[in-house]
Amino acid sequence: MLFLQLAAFVHMPAAHSSTAVRPLAPLTFVLKTHCAAGGCLYTLPGGVEYPTQAINTASLSPDTIDGLLREGVKLGITSVDFHLGTEREGVALAVKALGRSKFFLITKINPPPANLTNASAAADLVRQSVATELSYSALGTDFVDVLLLKDSPSCAVMQAQWKVVEEMLDTGRARAIGTYN
């Protein structure tokens, strides 16, 4: 077993108060790890099995991403960490060709503008990003495995955006949620 401290990698069931913002405090927990022929997995709180090996698509073209993911699956690497926008297009090509079940999809909501302080506008920005840049229909799936939110210097902005990300978890659009910096 591995002991980890992760900042705000939270998975709480929908039964948790739907009106309260779930805590963004650092969490310390035992992360279970198990390995098999297909590689090693971390079991996140909530039971989501997170592959330890992933392909990161940063700055690659859609065609390159598609080819890379197809080769990765042949090697047993099914986890893909991608940014929204152009990178999503390459992931969508591979998902269409090989099927959604072949991949563990990790994506990120782009950070808000540094000068954004309006919480309502920040929440709307996440909703717009999910609708246009993530676009589940363009990706060829109804959900991602992990949806990450970029940190913000404003607590009010972060909490408003976190609430929207929680909605994605509660509606099944994401299996796990977290933050990154």
Side-chain angles (χ1 to χ4, degrees):
M1 284 195 231
L2 179 67
F3 291 90
L4 278 188
Q5 182 172 7
L6 297 177
F9 209 113
V10 180
H11 176 84
M12 294 182 180
H16 187 284
S17 172
S18 62
T19 57
V21 174
R22 295 176 197 155
L24 287 175
L27 304 171
T28 302
F29 54 88
V30 176
L31 191 61
K32 296 177 183 172
T33 306
H34 62 279
C35 299
C40 296
L41 301 167
Y42 294 130
T43 303
L44 301 175
V48 175
E49 292 185 329
Y50 193 111
T52 59
Q53 293 180 330
I55 295 170
N56 188 306
T57 63
S59 303
L60 299 176
S61 72
D63 289 339
T64 301
I65 292 168
D66 179 33
L68 182 62
L69 296 182
R70 289 173 191 240
E71 289 302 312
V73 166
K74 291 178 188 175
L75 298 171
I77 302 171
T78 59
S79 181
V80 55
D81 182 344
F82 66 99
H83 290 86
L84 302 178
T86 304
E87 293 178 27
R88 180 208 62 213
E89 301 306 320
V91 173
L93 290 171
V95 167
K96 184 177 181 181
L98 301 178
R100 171 62 178 92
S101 64
K102 292 285 187 188
F103 298 101
F104 186 89
L105 301 176
I106 306 161
T107 195
K108 307 161 189 77
I109 300 295
N110 292 324
N115 62 349
L116 181 63
T117 58
N118 181 296
S120 178
D124 288 343
L125 189 62
V126 172
R127 285 186 188 95
Q128 179 184 358
S129 182
V130 167
T132 58
E133 295 175 40
L134 177 53
S135 179
Y136 290 95
S137 60
L139 189 56
T141 184
D142 293 333
F143 69 96
V144 293
D145 295 290
V146 178
L147 182 60
L148 300 173
L149 180 65
K150 177 72 171 147
D151 62 350
S152 169
S154 166
C155 289
V157 165
M158 188 70 184
Q159 287 179 332
Q161 290 190 317
W162 183 252
K163 190 154 181 68
V164 176
V165 171
E166 286 180 321
E167 291 169 10
M168 299 295 105
L169 176 68
D170 292 342
T171 60
R173 299 300 242 165
R175 293 179 55 223
I177 58 175
T179 63
Y180 76 105
N181 58 11

